[in-house]
Amino acid sequence: MLEFGEPLIASEFEALHYGPVQRSLLDSFRKFGEEPIRELAQRFDPVKRVTIDIPRIRDNAVTQLVEKYLPVYLMIPSFELVDITHAAGTPWSRTVNLAKNAVNIGM
């Protein structure tokens, strides 16, 4: 978002216990558990009532950005990533705090 001035992902995230989650990816990859992910993410199309592959990223600038930062984040232990996403003022913490006093769809 900082480098492009807009979100890289158009869909919504949810604030789950260990941090932000994109529901379609969570549902698609849950079956792998701790094993390596071996296929593309899928989502359910409620209109056609079929499961379809979520397309790969085709934008070279986005791919380069992911390739730039992914190795950095892969070196951070999972619970340090939780601490980073849960820090005061982050989107995750703002969503959780809003949900304490009001209905929040992202929870």
Side-chain angles (χ1 to χ4, degrees), residues 8-103:
L8 294 178
I9 299 172
S11 63
E12 298 295 321
F13 283 80
E14 296 179 34
L16 298 187
H17 182 71
Y18 291 111
V21 172
Q22 190 177 21
R23 174 61 63 182
S24 60
L25 295 180
L26 176 65
D27 291 344
S28 186
F29 295 145
R30 182 184 316 251
K31 64 186 172 191
F32 293 106
E34 294 180 7
E35 298 297 316
I37 295 170
R38 298 177 304 277
E39 60 190 45
L40 290 175
Q42 297 180 325
R43 68 175 179 83
F44 180 71
D45 182 331
V47 175
K48 296 180 182 176
R49 303 195 51 77
V50 295
T51 301
I52 58 174
D53 287 347
I54 296 174
R56 292 180 181 270
I57 297 171
R58 300 281 185 221
D59 185 325
N60 286 335
V62 172
T63 301
Q64 289 173 352
L65 186 69
V66 170
E67 289 173 351
K68 176 181 176 181
Y69 290 107
L70 184 59
V72 174
Y73 286 100
L74 287 174
M75 299 303 296
I76 301 173
S78 58
F79 283 98
E80 280 187 45
L81 290 172
V82 171
D83 291 342
I84 291 168
T85 61
H86 288 55
T90 62
W92 187 92
S93 71
R94 289 194 306 268
T95 300
V96 170
N97 287 334
L98 283 171
K100 291 177 182 175
N101 298 315
V103 174

